Structures are given as C-alpha cells and as structure tokens.
Amino acid sequence: MEEKEILIIGGGPGGYVAAIRAAQLGGKVTLVEKEELGGTCLNWGCMPTKALLRGVELLETLAMSKDFGIQVGEVSVDFPRLLARKDRAVKTLVSGVAGLMKANGIEVVKGQAKFLSPQEIEVLDEQGGKVPYRARKIILATGSLSADLPVSGARGPNVIDSNGALQLTQVPESMVIIGAGPIGLEFGTIFAALGSRVTILEMMNQILPNEDPEVASALERSLRHFKIQTHTNCQVQEIREGSEGKRKVLARTEKGDVAWEAQQVLLAVGRKANFDGLELPQAGVRFHKKGIEVNEKMETNVPGIYAIGDVTGQILLAHFAMAQGTVAAENALGHEARLERRVVPRCVYTLPEVAAVGLTEKEAQEAGYKLKVGRFPFAGNGKATILGERTGMVKMVTDAQYGEILGVHIFGPHATDLIGEAVLAMRLEGTAADVGRAIHPHPTLTEPLMEAALDVTGEALHIPPPKRG
Ligand SMILES: Cc1cc2nc3c(=O)[nH]c(=O)nc-3n(C[C@H](O)[C@H](O)[C@H](O)COP(=O)(O)OP(=O)(O)OC[C@H]3O[C@@H](n4cnc5c(N)ncnc54)[C@H](O)[C@@H]3O)c2cc1C
C-alpha cells in the first residue's frame, strides 16, 4: 500500500488551499479529486455565476448609455455566447489551480476516495481501478450539495437546483425561485436581467433572512428594477403540473394558499454537507446532519483526521473554507493554529450588491451591547453619482462604550469589494473613529464607509446635520 504524508480529499477552495499551505510548510501532499479542481466554487458556484453577472452588469451599463450621451444600436443578448465566455473563464481558473498544484509539487490523483480505516483510503479511478493509500494525516474537504425541498414534485421535470440553472441553454420565459438567500437572489438577478419573469418565494419574514432588515428591505425595493416579485412568509407545499407545460408552485401564505406558474422552478433552499460515499463510519469520524464535527483546530474526533469547508456545515462560503484549510494544514504539519471566526464577511451578488461582516443591529442588541449606529447613503457620495449608481447605503453598528465596530452592512455599488476594509478594521478591533479619521481616497466608493463611521457620532460631512436639541 502506497504511503502518503498528507492526503487531502476534495479539490475545492478548502482542499486546494490546504494543499498549497501544507506544501509551503514542507509537507508532501496528495490531493484526491473526483471531478474538476476548484470544486463547487470554480465550477458550479462563485465563479460561473459571477461570469454571468458580469454580462448582466454590462447590459445595465448599456441601458444607461443614453444618459451619458452615448448612442448604441439595439442591444440584444446572445445567451450561448455569454455561456461560452463563462465556460472559458471557468476553464482558465481551473487550469490556474492545476498550475498552482504543479508549481507547489502537489500530487493530484483523480478519483473518488473512501475510508477503509482511520489511516487507509481507497481511491476508485475513472476506469474502475481501486488504489489503496495509507496516510499519516488526512484532510476531508468534500464540500456540499444542494439541499432538497421535502415537498411533492420537488424532483419533477423543470425543477432544477443551482447546477441545473448553470446548465440551462435558453433563458426561460418565467422562473419561480424557492429561497431568497444569496444563491436564489443571485440567479433571480441574472435571469430577470436577461428577460425572465422572476418570482422569488421565501419562507421567512424577509429576503436574506440572516441579514440586517434595513439592508434586506432596501434590496427588496431595488429588485423591482428587474421586475422581480418577492413573497415572504411563503411556505411552499407542493410543485405540480401547470398549464401549457409549466410547473405550478403551491404555497401557504399569510393571505391563504397561493399558486404561481413558471416554465422553470429553481430550488435555492440551502446546501448540505457532502459525505456521500466517503464511508466515514469506517474511520470512526463523528458527524451529524449539518456536517463533520471539528474543533477550532479543524481536528475531528479521530487523531490525524481533519475536516474543512462546507463539509463541516459551519459557514458555507469559499473564503471560510480557505481559512479553515490553512488552519488544518498548519496543524497537520505540527504547527499550532486556531480558526478565528469572529470576522467573516458575507456577500450577496445582486445589482447593487450586499455585503456584511459581524453582527446585525438586532444581534448586537441581543448580545447585550449598548449601541451607536452610523449610516451613510451612496446618494451622498461623489463617485457613486458619477457612476450613476447612487442606490444604497452603509450602516455601521458600534459599541457605544468603546466605539468598537461590531458590524458593517453595505448595500450598494461594489459592496462586496468595499467590505474588505470593514473586515480589516474589525480584525484589528478598530473603532468608528479609526475608520472615520483614516484619510480615504477621493472620489471613491470607499468614502461612504468613512462617512458612516463619522455618522456614529453625528459627524458625517456630506449629509445634512442631524437635528440637534
Ligand atoms: C451557485 C453558488 C454560488 C456561490 N457563490 C459563492 C460566492 O460568491 N462566494 C462564496 O464565498 N461562496 C459561494 N458559494 C459557496 C462556495 O462555492 C462553497 O462554500 C465552497 O465551494 C466550499 O468549498 P469546499 O472546498 O468546502 O467544497 P467544494 O468547493 O464543494 O469542493 C469539494 C470537492 O470535493 C470533491 N469530492 C467530494 N467527495 C469526494 C470524494 N469522495 N473523493 C474525491 N473528491 C471528492 C468534489 O468533487 C468537489 O470538487 C456558492 C455556491 C453556489 C452553489
């Protein structure tokens, strides 16, 4: 049986980053991947969706061209070409990861891995060959799959998940999306902008149920620009055949039972940890419904076996998987690393975007803080006005006693890029004054963050002063 020092199962952002970090620290690394390097993120998640969104952004920019005195001819969408560009972008990124594996001396084995015992793995290759390996340290990074919706008809025709949405070859005339989390809203924006009539149904009482209600309701209003209809407090009961080959979605709402018909139904009701075929019990690795149990060092209950990324069921985001991957690799190589999960950004790629880090105002209140909150609208920002993208705001939640930033919530242009500054400020335990007094470049979209920080003490510069006395 071949002996390996560090064996990683799964080549998504968790697994491939763990592989690079382990190699940097001098480890001899083998990475087993059954499909393509890059995992969900590069092949079915973060990247292909953003490639489609880039096309949608271009459409939106072209729609503004008249305002700028620029005449363009009739604008139309060539969906197959948009898909082809998305595929090329994905291919470039996947081969980039393959290049990084090679450059770091990481051995990549193609095949599906399963446990034979705590130290033994068997890899089933594409030709049906079975190769056993023994490894000193094993890192599990097998990711997640779309969660099922437990209602009748959820596996019927024209009912797809996010992978199915990325395989559509035509823009559907209409689409009902079940779930108004980041994935549902992202696809809603893409298909509505490309011409679908989109309806989004959400079981909870707001879209983006985990985000600040102010941000969620501002986003909800702006989705109307794409004629997206949203319905909250809406519990889907059944999906069945409708008229003219459409699907009919029946739901219980506050107003009674309601039905919607659409050509496609997209299920975006979350993701579930994937340990399909891994045979975890053979290794004695403890797991529950949400994922594999790990401590802050990414150790499972079995010495020498670590788990990272979506399969741990903690925060199902690529950057979190990468951070976990780094920690696991360092511990596997004998270093002492712990995951810090106080400051993890969350991004929603709508137009405009949403991004947040830390606590919402309500969460901070519930945690017992006395708060001071600052806000600043993008309408008060020069750069946003120049860009013609004035919708949105920055909200900063701080602890009234020391001014420490507890949470930042952005809805507006390039929110997902802008949140990086808030991440750093919070990581350094910065205060509103630190951000408010830091000289920000002008004119940029970063200034609203500085202004929201100044607004914490009522000192924002580019909005009318608050009423005093
Ligand atoms: C539509 C969509 C959009 C998303 N957008 C974003 C975004 O914008 N930003 C963000 O941060 N996150 C986003 N995510 C989430 C992100 O994709 C995941 O959090 C991330 O990919 C998790 O990384 P991972 O390494 O844990 O797992 P994965 O990326 O899922 O990789 C797991 C890998 O393991 C392989 N594997 C599984 N079992 C075995 C086995 N037994 N043997 C060998 N190989 C195996 C799989 O083939 C896969 O390649 C999105 C997800 C979706 C679905």
Side-chain angles (χ1 to χ4, degrees):
M1 193 179 283
E2 236 186 287
E3 292 273 341
K4 300 289 175 192
E5 189 183 331
I6 311 265
L7 192 137
I8 300 173
I9 306 176
Y16 84 71
V17 166
I20 294 172
R21 186 69 190 126
Q24 281 174 348
L25 295 173
K28 279 191 74 61
V29 187
T30 301
L31 177 71
V32 185
E33 169 55 59
K34 68 181 167 69
E35 290 170 15
E36 299 292 333
L37 286 173
T40 305
C41 175
L42 264 61
N43 298 284
W44 299 103
C46 324
M47 296 307 183
T49 49
K50 281 15 152 227
L52 295 180
L53 271 165
R54 177 73 181 136
V56 164
E57 251 170 41
L58 264 173
L59 262 184
E60 283 297 289
T61 308
L62 288 171
M64 290 198 294
S65 61
K66 233 182 178 170
D67 258 14
F68 287 75
I70 293 167
Q71 304 296 335
V72 287
E74 200 190 321
V75 176
S76 62
V77 177
D78 183 341
F79 193 54
R81 281 187 90 144
L82 180 58
L83 294 181
R85 184 179 181 279
K86 172 210 51 143
D87 292 341
R88 282 200 306 279
V90 167
K91 216 170 156 197
T92 304
L93 294 166
V94 171
S95 58
V97 173
L100 285 172
M101 296 300 101
K102 205 167 167 205
N104 281 284
I106 296 158
E107 177 193 26
V108 177
V109 172
K110 181 117 193 211
Q112 166 138 7
K114 71 171 190 186
F115 276 107
L116 299 174
S117 76
Q119 270 90 44
E120 290 166 331
I121 294 285
E122 181 183 270
V123 177
L124 177 68
D125 67 26
E126 277 171 328
Q127 289 73 43
K130 292 176 181 174
V131 185
Y133 297 97
R134 171 175 276 278
R136 283 210 293 121
K137 304 280 165 131
I138 296 171
I139 301 178
L140 304 174
T142 50
S144 65
L145 303 168
S146 294
D148 298 318
L149 181 68
V151 302
S152 146
R155 288 171 184 261
N158 296 334
V159 182
I160 52 178
D161 64 3
S162 58
N163 286 15
L166 287 168
Q167 286 168 299
L168 289 175
T169 52
Q170 283 178 344
V171 177
E173 168 270 319
S174 52
M175 184 179 255
V176 167
I177 299 177
I178 304 175
I183 294 178
L185 290 168
E186 195 166 313
F187 279 111
T189 302
I190 292 169
F191 284 106
L194 295 177
S196 288
R197 199 159 32 80
V198 172
T199 306
I200 306 183
L201 310 180
E202 169 57 51
M203 186 175 79
M204 305 300 278
N205 65 358
Q206 68 169 49
I207 63 165
L208 291 180
N210 298 327
E211 295 302 342
D212 191 283
E214 255 178 272
V215 164
S217 64
L219 172 64
E220 193 163 14
R221 282 193 300 279
S222 90
L223 291 174
R224 289 185 207 141
H225 168 76
F226 295 106
K227 302 193 173 61
I228 297 175
Q229 279 191 34
T230 49
H231 300 274
T232 50
N233 292 312
C234 185
Q235 178 109 36
V236 171
Q237 304 290 316
E238 191 188 339
I239 303 169
R240 62 161 90 129
E241 202 178 319
S243 58
E244 296 161 11
K246 290 186 181 157
R247 294 278 99 192
K248 188 175 196 162
V249 179
L250 294 104
R252 192 151 295 158
T253 74
E254 283 169 321
K255 295 176 202 136
D257 290 351
V258 184
W260 290 269
E261 285 200 345
Q263 205 185 336
Q264 289 285 345
V265 176
L266 168 59
L267 303 182
V269 292
R271 312 257 316 156
K272 58 175 185 199
N274 170 33
F275 17 74
D276 280 3
L278 203 51
E279 306 281 6
L280 288 177
Q282 308 260 39
V285 171
R286 205 156 48 219
F287 61 98
H288 45 73
K289 227 175 103 199
K290 273 191 90 182
I292 296 176
E293 276 179 32
V294 285
N295 61 16
E296 58 194 343
K297 294 172 79 177
M298 304 295 109
E299 294 164 334
T300 66
N301 61 307
V302 179
I305 303 182
Y306 302 78
I308 57 172
D310 284 9
V311 77
T312 63
Q314 295 185 350
I315 300 176
L316 277 60
L317 290 171
H319 43 271
F320 191 68
M322 294 187 202
Q324 288 179 309
T326 302
V327 169
E330 289 174 357
N331 287 318
L333 268 292
H335 296 250
E336 182 73 24
R338 279 164 210 276
L339 185 75
E340 218 226 83
R341 50 178 293 179
R342 189 177 60 90
V343 187
V344 183
R346 316 179 286 275
C347 296
V348 186
Y349 294 81
T350 43
L351 288 177
E353 297 173 342
V354 172
V357 57
L359 302 178
T360 63
E361 189 175 351
K362 188 160 167 261
E363 285 166 347
Q365 270 160 0
E366 284 168 1
Y369 287 103
K370 281 193 97 175
L371 300 181
K372 274 194 180 165
V373 176
R375 292 178 179 78
F376 191 83
F378 279 94
N381 173 249
K383 180 74 178 280
T385 303
I386 300 297
L387 294 176
E389 298 183 40
R390 303 176 82 218
T391 303
M393 52 125 181
V394 178
K395 176 173 175 181
M396 183 177 281
V397 179
T398 68
D399 161 35
Q401 198 179 359
Y402 302 108
E404 186 177 346
I405 303 167
L406 302 172
V408 174
H409 308 273
I410 308 179
F411 169 55
H414 299 282
T416 62
D417 295 311
L418 299 176
I419 202 69
E421 178 180 342
V423 168
L424 186 60
M426 285 184 63
R427 167 91 208 211
L428 299 175
E429 297 183 12
T431 62
D434 290 327
V435 175
R437 292 283 166 165
I439 300 174
H440 283 64
H442 174 79
T444 62
L445 294 171
T446 66
E447 289 167 287
L449 189 65
M450 172 183 75
E451 293 269 20
L454 291 171
D455 187 54
V456 166
T457 44
E459 293 167 305
L461 298 166
H462 293 86
I463 40 171
K467 287 199 176 74
R468 297 198 174 88

